[in-house]
Amino acid sequence: MELFELTKSLMSIPSTSGEEEAVGFFLRDHLESLGWTVELQPVSANQNNVIAYLNDTPRVWLSTHMDTVPPYIAPTEDDEKIYGRGSCDAKGIIATQITAAEQLRKEGIEDIGLMYTVEEERSSTGAKAANLHPFAAKCEYMINGEPTDNDLAIGSKGTFRLNIKTKGKAAHSAYPDEGESAIEKLLDILDDIRHTKFPDDEFFGETTVNIGTIEGGAALNVIPPTAEAGLAIRLTTKKQPIEDALRSIVRDRGEIEILSFSEPVRMLDVDGFNKKVVRFTTDIPHMPNWGKPLLLGPGSILVAHTKDEFVFKRDLETSVSLYQDLVRGLIQSSLEID
Ligand SMILES: [Zn+2]
């Protein structure tokens, strides 16, 4: 199937996180029809990673995720672009990787694998399961695909997601001395966080904090007994010093509930590509067993997850040749690796 047709076929099968089964079956059938051996690796009741290979010694793997964020947006196109959910994140990438792998086969390169995970957009349970797959030990290089504008991402920031919860004492709003406001405590903590300069890193850049959610209180005439804020921090250092800093800000005024985190990761740096550090997280930190990681893909992260998601058709085509160059260079050990 031709590149754009394959992209649109994948996009026409909705696969919001948790609902990847149908697109996984499509990929299995498609890859088997091309002659790949395909395994469905169970992750949960209706979620399977797709793992495809040509022989027993796949050394270089191309991978990305099958799930998308909601809501589903069916594919449309014009001469320049394909629009819709998954166009750049990441079904266009799946299509370019399969197309690149098929071209490499024609050159006689068969020590390659393809891996497509579930659940990347939420908890990376697909990647965590994949990390335990026996093929991981044989993998030397894992080229992960995410929208990097076809630049080689040599680092990705980590993420640290947490809630801050405060407690007060409910009372009639006309008698504030009888109560204690959980919302005022929370606002004080958040104000302190907003005025804190967290450590940055020369390579990864600036640590940024988003106060993404806030809720609390019971009614306008009640002093609020509880309040809570959700934060997402883009890590450029290890998580621990940031957590320590937060604990010393919050002190006994509230409680920190850690939801998830992934540390910043450095990827392989090879000559001959445009390079950058990206601010988003990928499956890579959850797959340390899969050799040295690389990260490259068509499309822009700035339109991923939006209602206007699209990918340029010429960027899909360019990434097919970039993936081929990378795989060929890694297999033949001809790349200058910094
Ligand atoms: Zn993605």
Side-chain angles (χ1 to χ4, degrees):
M1 208 185 295
E2 181 267 339
L3 176 61
F4 305 144
E5 288 308 311
L6 181 54
T7 300
K8 287 180 287 174
S9 299
L10 290 164
M11 290 172 65
S12 66
I13 306 169
S15 62
T16 307
S17 305
E19 289 157 23
E20 303 94 336
E21 197 170 38
V23 80
F25 290 162
F26 172 87
L27 275 170
R28 174 197 59 194
D29 296 346
H30 179 61
L31 289 167
E32 281 181 351
S33 79
L34 296 171
W36 293 74
T37 304
V38 183
E39 273 179 39
L40 294 181
Q41 182 193 26
V43 176
S44 79
N46 304 307
Q47 290 182 298
N48 309 293
N49 293 330
V50 175
I51 294 177
Y53 46 93
L54 299 163
N55 61 31
D56 289 338
T57 53
R59 294 168 51 205
V60 178
W61 287 71
L62 292 160
S63 95
T64 186
H65 56 93
M66 294 181 286
D67 61 318
T68 71
V69 295
Y72 176 68
I73 304 168
T76 55
E77 69 181 314
D78 57 26
D79 288 347
E80 279 194 318
K81 299 175 190 165
I82 296 174
Y83 305 85
R85 186 61 75 223
S87 50
C88 77
D89 190 17
K91 288 172 172 174
I93 297 176
I94 297 177
T96 62
Q97 290 183 342
I98 292 172
T99 307
E102 285 296 298
Q103 301 280 355
L104 289 161
R105 281 176 82 186
K106 289 187 190 140
E107 299 170 18
I109 293 177
E110 300 223 319
D111 290 350
I112 50 178
L114 297 168
M115 178 160 71
Y116 298 115
T117 61
V118 296
E119 198 64 27
E120 190 272 346
E121 299 288 4
R122 294 197 302 202
S123 57
S124 282
T125 48
K128 289 170 191 168
N131 194 46
L132 304 175
H133 193 279
F135 266 132
K138 299 180 184 179
C139 173
E140 293 169 37
Y141 300 99
M142 160 73 73
I143 304 169
N144 196 252
E146 288 289 348
T148 65
D149 302 294
N150 280 335
D151 292 341
L152 188 68
I154 53 173
S156 67
K157 290 188 177 183
T159 48
F160 182 17
R161 295 166 62 246
L162 64 134
N163 287 328
I164 297 174
K165 297 177 169 184
T166 53
K167 283 204 176 77
K169 186 175 165 229
H172 192 296
S173 62
Y175 298 89
D177 292 348
E178 299 295 311
E180 189 186 15
S181 168
I183 288 182
E184 288 185 9
K185 269 198 214 172
L186 182 65
L187 291 175
D188 289 346
I189 294 170
L190 295 178
D191 195 48
D192 290 347
I193 289 173
R194 291 176 64 207
H195 290 96
T196 298
K197 181 75 190 109
F198 291 97
D200 298 331
D201 181 84
E202 205 176 314
F203 177 81
F204 287 105
E206 192 189 1
T207 301
T208 57
V209 179
N210 181 48
I211 302 170
T213 60
I214 185 161
E215 59 188 54
L220 293 188
N221 54 1
V222 178
I223 296 189
T226 58
E228 181 174 331
L231 276 63
I233 300 178
R234 298 291 156 174
L235 294 171
T236 62
T237 65
K238 292 268 185 204
K239 180 210 69 165
Q240 197 58 49
I242 306 297
E243 184 185 337
D244 293 346
L246 285 169
R247 289 198 186 283
S248 70
I249 293 166
V250 174
R251 301 190 306 277
D252 57 356
R253 294 184 290 175
E255 196 183 299
I256 292 175
E257 178 191 20
I258 294 176
L259 301 173
S260 67
F261 71 93
S262 61
E263 305 281 9
V265 194
R266 287 183 93 126
M267 270 85 66
L268 203 65
D269 182 351
V270 297
D271 281 355
F273 289 82
N274 294 327
K275 299 169 198 181
K276 68 176 168 205
V277 170
V278 294
R279 301 184 192 177
F280 54 89
T281 320
T282 69
D283 271 340
I284 291 172
H286 307 289
M287 296 193 286
N289 294 345
W290 283 83
K292 294 196 176 77
L294 296 91
L295 179 62
L296 178 143
S300 167
I301 197 68
L302 300 179
V303 297
H305 299 197
T306 72
K307 67 178 178 28
D308 302 317
E309 183 173 345
F310 72 87
V311 67
F312 282 108
K313 292 176 173 178
R314 68 165 182 274
D315 287 354
L316 292 175
E317 289 170 331
T318 302
S319 72
V320 171
S321 54
L322 292 173
Y323 283 133
Q324 287 180 74
D325 292 346
L326 273 178
V327 174
R328 210 184 285 118
L330 292 167
I331 293 258
Q332 297 165 354
S333 305
S334 61
L335 289 175
E336 290 286 323
I337 295 173
D338 289 334

